[in-house]
Amino acid sequence: MEIDDATVRKIARLARIKVDDAEAKTLKGELTGILDWVEQLDEVETDGVEPMTCVTEMEMHMRTDKVTDGGYPEEIVRNAPQHAGTFFVVPKVVE
Amino acid sequence: MSDPTRLSIAETRDALAARELSAEELTQAHIQAIDGGNAALNAFILPTPDHALEMARASDERLAKGEAGPLEGIPLGIKDLFCTKGVRTTACSHILDGFEPGYESTVTRNLWNAGAVMLGKLNCDEFAMGSSNETSYYEPVINPWRRSGSDAKLVPGGSSGGSASAVAACLAQGATATDTGGSIRQPASLTGTVGLKPTYGRCSRWGIVAFASSLDQAGPITRTVRDSAIMLGAMAGYDEKDTTSVNMPVPDYEAAVGESIKGLKVGIPREYSMEGMPAEIEALWQTGIDWLKDAGAEISDVSLPHTKYALPAYYIVAPAEASSNLARYDGVRYGLRIEGDDIVDMYEKTRAAGFGAEVKRRVLIGTYVLSAGYYDAYYLKAQRVRTLIKRDFEQVFEDVDVLLTPATPGPAFALGEKSGDPIEMYLNDIFTVPANMSGLPGISIPGGLSGEGTPLGLQLISRAFDEEMLFRVGHVIEQAAGKLPEPENWWSTS
């Protein structure tokens, strides 16, 4: 599968990673190489095989639906690059 | 006590109990070893000596009162993937600059409850993505081992390279590590240490920076099989904060060390004999087979037909999960922020500056395989192949108790030697990835030295939740291999 420039740009946009022209060129080759390599999976007959959802057999445990933690917003925003009081600050989103 | 840093955890436990050594002296000796050796090895990215001494003094008080825990006073290094309360945790990524968690991971919490002492945070590949520790934002870790007659710097493997190097060089008696595709067993193999990846669900993942959640599992790197059993006993256990942690009692793992393997059935999977595999790897494998046969085990050839597809399937599943897990690093809640023209520009610039090349590659591959129109062809296909890989193991384990394989396709390589081609680097995990894909426990045990004079490991894989089998058989390999020569200490300045 040949990944073209437009596809590199598109997935970089979806992944929210800015890539410059030189990086895009390198990535194009590397991503194509990796996708070509994983294409060997096409050799495997998987009709009727269930895709794995959980690797160990376990029962999902349920708990009471109640708040068990929280109430310390200062602690939550402490690591933020920018905060005002107990709010995260981001660039203006709505005009 | 001559040099307490060279003792095993089990020996130290006895020396502390007999009051031949205090926890403070022991920790002090390790702090000196780190002071003298870390500049050359770069295993610790954040030593925490004051914190360590404080914990050691508390251990001495508990020892005096007869209240010692199973790891009382044992100085450990902690991979930087584990969140440690109030102590910087970055997963060795620029994007988590300065992050100080307000909470403690369950595994490290369990270790401190058992009395262990934290020496500091250990280097690793960025977000645990790598097989050589060269993707760390904090520069590569150096392997204490060198090729005979050469002073070329070798990698310790990865992603838990700091853990492996610190334990091999006696900067710590044990270390926590994590294994998503081989990140515990591969560096253990390359540094002559014992690396255990437990069954998926055995240790809680809560508070560990997530890479690929259906594969990640925490485990120990130690210098002996017994130490591995002791550490796992303290790390493992049910945790209601991780829905994939399993509510099963934690057995007395140490009791399995020294048990006879007479009559045990050992399978040798023929698919692990790969074309182009170095003769010395084949030879070591055969030696391992002979050791187990001599100890009374029954050896049989078995087949795991989908083995060769484990690695390509892994390179769909792991990047897909990573692209989703790493979406949280957006410059808003923690770590790095690069300002932009608007919020999307800010996200894009932050992630471009904060992630290294390998992480970007995997996030982009993951984004691609999950994107509209490709999800079935890649992700679902890989998860179907994964079902087949797991089925192979289940069938084989109807007939045998444990599998013996090489741990790595070769010994430690030099810095930069394999970093040009991503796929060549990925192939390092060819023997370790199938256990992750199937959730099974695996251990790497030093088996001997390569022609270059550097360590090589053998791997054992057992049934889910049968880590005791790995310790039992692993101890036999350890005894048969005898003590490996130690790396010549070139790194210490003190």
Side-chain angles (χ1 to χ4, degrees), chain A residues 1 3 7 11-19 23 27 30-31 33-35 37-46 49-52 54-58 60-61 75-76 78-82 88-93, chain B residues 98-100 102 200 238 242-246 308-309 311-313 315-316 331-335 337 343-349 351-352 360-361 364-365 367-368 378 380-381 383-384 386-388 390 423 426 437-439:
Chain A
M1 170 76 75
I3 300 287
T7 309
I11 57 176
R13 180 75 177 172
L14 287 172
R16 297 284 186 265
I17 297 175
K18 194 163 282 262
V19 295
E23 254 184 316
L27 280 166
E30 288 171 345
L31 301 186
I34 295 168
L35 290 169
W37 175 67
V38 303
E39 254 170 37
Q40 57 182 296
L41 294 182
D42 292 346
E43 297 164 17
V44 187
E45 177 57 59
T46 53
V49 178
E50 279 295 305
M52 181 173 285
C54 187
V55 74
T56 41
E57 280 161 39
M58 55 177 76
M60 185 64 78
H61 21 93
E75 182 62 24
I76 305 297
R78 189 172 56 86
N79 276 293
Q82 205 186 338
F88 296 112
V89 176
V90 296
K92 196 168 174 183
V93 179
Chain B
F99 175 59
E100 285 186 4
Y200 184 79
Y238 172 63
D242 174 5
T243 48
T244 62
S245 103
V246 169
K308 71 175 275 207
Y309 301 110
L311 200 61
Y315 274 98
I316 293 173
V332 174
R333 286 157 297 170
Y334 24 63
R337 173 187 287 195
I343 192 162
V344 173
D345 195 45
M346 185 274 281
Y347 293 151
E348 291 187 342
K349 283 183 172 154
R351 289 164 65 82
K360 284 182 195 171
R361 258 194 300 276
L364 293 175
I365 285 282
T367 305
Y368 181 76
Y378 288 103
L380 271 187
K381 177 80 184 181
Q383 291 289 44
R384 288 184 212 278
R386 202 174 165 190
T387 298
L388 294 173
K390 188 173 180 231
I423 294 170
Y426 299 168
M437 294 299 271
S438 318

Side-chain angles (χ1 to χ4, degrees), chain B residues 430-484:
Chain B
I430 192 145
F431 299 137
T432 48
V433 149
N436 300 82
M437 294 299 271
S438 318
L440 299 174
I443 194 169
S444 172
I445 296 150
L449 296 184
S450 70
E452 295 171 340
T454 49
L456 286 172
L458 284 167
Q459 177 180 231
L460 295 166
I461 302 170
S462 68
R463 296 183 183 100
F465 300 102
D466 196 5
E467 284 80 3
E468 287 158 294
M469 182 65 70
L470 302 181
F471 296 132
R472 184 174 168 189
V473 184
H475 184 66
V476 171
I477 291 178
E478 186 177 50
Q479 297 291 104
K483 203 165 167 42
L484 288 191

Side-chain angles (χ1 to χ4, degrees), chain B residues 239-327:
Chain B
D239 178 12
E240 64 177 20
K241 289 187 285 208
D242 174 5
T243 48
T244 62
S245 103
V246 169
N247 195 354
M248 279 171 70
V250 178
D252 178 2
Y253 291 120
E254 203 182 347
V257 179
E259 271 187 43
S260 164
I261 64 161
K262 218 176 166 76
L264 278 187
K265 296 196 173 81
V266 179
I268 310 300
R270 67 178 69 104
E271 289 80 6
Y272 281 62
S273 184
M274 306 234 169
E275 208 178 309
M277 188 151 101
E280 63 182 13
I281 303 290
E282 286 276 11
L284 175 75
W285 196 9
Q286 188 54 52
T287 304
I289 294 170
D290 294 340
W291 287 335
L292 298 183
K293 207 186 282 175
D294 291 346
E298 292 169 24
I299 311 291
S300 58
D301 283 327
V302 297
S303 174
L304 298 164
H306 296 92
T307 298
K308 71 175 275 207
Y309 301 110
L311 200 61
Y314 172 88
Y315 274 98
I316 293 173
V317 174
E321 295 183 15
S323 72
S324 166
N325 274 325
L326 270 58

